[in-house]
Amino acid sequence: KNEVEQSPQNLTAQEGEFITINCSYSVGISALHWLQQHPGGGIVSLFMLSSGKKKHGRLIATINIQEKHSSLHITASHPRDSAVYICAADYMNTGNQFYFGTGTSLTVIP
Amino acid sequence: KAGVTQTPRYLIKTRGQQVTLSCSPISGHRSVSWYQQTPGQGLQFLFEYFSETQRNKGNFPGRFSGRQFSNSRSEMNVSTLELGDSALYLCASSARRPSTDTQYFGPGTRLTVL
């Protein structure tokens, strides 16, 4: 079954803290995507990963294909990072259709 | 480049009516995917169009349909609306198929069914 599990569901951090959000998927994937959704609904694609690690500014995404697990890290968190972070799996057995995690609501307090 | 646009942004309908939502992708993008987002079910894939052909469809009833035009603009239609169809409907475009390319999301259409 093409499931995606994400944790934690909610996260509150102090400004400057290092944050980790986890995502697990069930079977082989073509790619794992990390998305950011701000209040109001707009979604931005942060990373598309099929192996290894990617970095963009203070955001780092990693994936372990053998363990079927991905993490999104935010270094030196800032209040503007407050958003919902969603992982999405593009499974090989379906292809080109995403299965989404339930999202992690992050609040960074100044 | 202009981003993905969706019209209308807000819509109120009553049960039994039908609705058509529109999505204009980024210029040059050939793939458009549609998603439904609700508080209970989260984000769910509806369908994907590429070069005017539906390539994938999610687990939704036949009341949900769509099409893509030669200029890549896409519409989705929901017939015989139910209360449970109230949701944020998002479209996303990419130059190539979503498995191989970053998707760019529109702002969404918030549909309320009364």
Side-chain angles (χ1 to χ4, degrees):
Chain A
K1 193 175 176 186
N2 294 349
E3 293 180 333
V4 179
E5 293 189 3
Q6 198 173 330
S7 64
Q9 192 171 351
N10 295 286
L11 187 54
T12 300
Q14 292 288 332
E15 184 173 354
E17 283 186 8
F18 182 85
I19 288 161
T20 296
I21 300 169
N22 297 298
C23 178
S24 297
Y25 53 92
S26 54
V27 291
I29 58 168
S30 300
L32 191 289
H33 299 253
W34 282 101
L35 311 173
Q36 180 193 56
Q37 186 171 31
H38 280 283
I43 292 179
V44 174
S45 180
L46 298 175
F47 296 102
M48 181 171 69
L49 288 165
S50 55
S51 64
K53 175 180 172 178
K54 287 190 176 180
K55 184 175 188 285
H56 185 260
R58 295 179 294 105
L59 273 61
I60 302 167
T62 63
I63 189 166
N64 185 316
I65 299 297
Q66 286 73 31
E67 294 186 4
K68 297 185 177 59
H69 180 268
S70 177
S71 293
L72 176 68
H73 305 285
I74 304 175
T75 62
S77 59
H78 189 277
R80 66 175 173 266
D81 297 326
S82 298
V84 176
Y85 293 84
I86 304 166
C87 66
D90 184 1
Y91 284 104
M92 288 180 181
N93 61 0
T94 50
N96 294 295
Q97 59 174 290
F98 293 176
Y99 291 82
F100 296 90
T102 52
T104 295
S105 179
L106 171 65
T107 302
V108 181
I109 301 169
Chain B
K1 255 186 187 179
V4 179
T5 58
Q6 291 186 246
T7 57
R9 293 292 310 277
Y10 302 91
L11 204 49
I12 299 174
K13 292 285 188 179
T14 55
R15 277 182 300 174
Q17 287 187 309
Q18 75 162 25
V19 67
T20 299
L21 312 182
S22 180
C23 173
S24 293
I26 290 173
S27 178
H29 284 193
R30 296 166 64 194
S31 172
V32 173
S33 296
W34 287 90
Y35 302 95
Q36 182 197 63
Q37 187 175 36
T38 60
Q41 298 295 319
L43 270 164
Q44 293 182 279
F45 170 80
L46 277 159
F47 24 66
E48 184 227 346
Y49 286 86
F50 183 81
S51 295
E52 300 179 64
T53 302
Q54 186 182 93
R55 302 301 180 107
N56 271 305
K57 186 170 169 38
N59 190 25
F60 279 83
R63 301 186 296 108
F64 291 81
S65 63
R67 58 179 176 168
Q68 186 180 33
F69 302 95
S70 58
N71 62 358
S72 293
R73 189 177 70 85
S74 178
E75 289 180 348
M76 68 161 280
N77 185 78
V78 188
S79 62
T80 320
L81 283 166
E82 300 177 0
L83 295 179
D85 297 333
S86 294
L88 179 67
Y89 290 89
L90 294 151
C91 76
S93 75
S94 54
R96 301 184 302 271
R97 301 291 301 284
S99 285
T100 58
D101 205 2
T102 297
Q103 288 197 310
Y104 295 84
F105 286 79
T109 294
R110 190 165 295 279
L111 171 66
T112 302
V113 182
L114 302 176

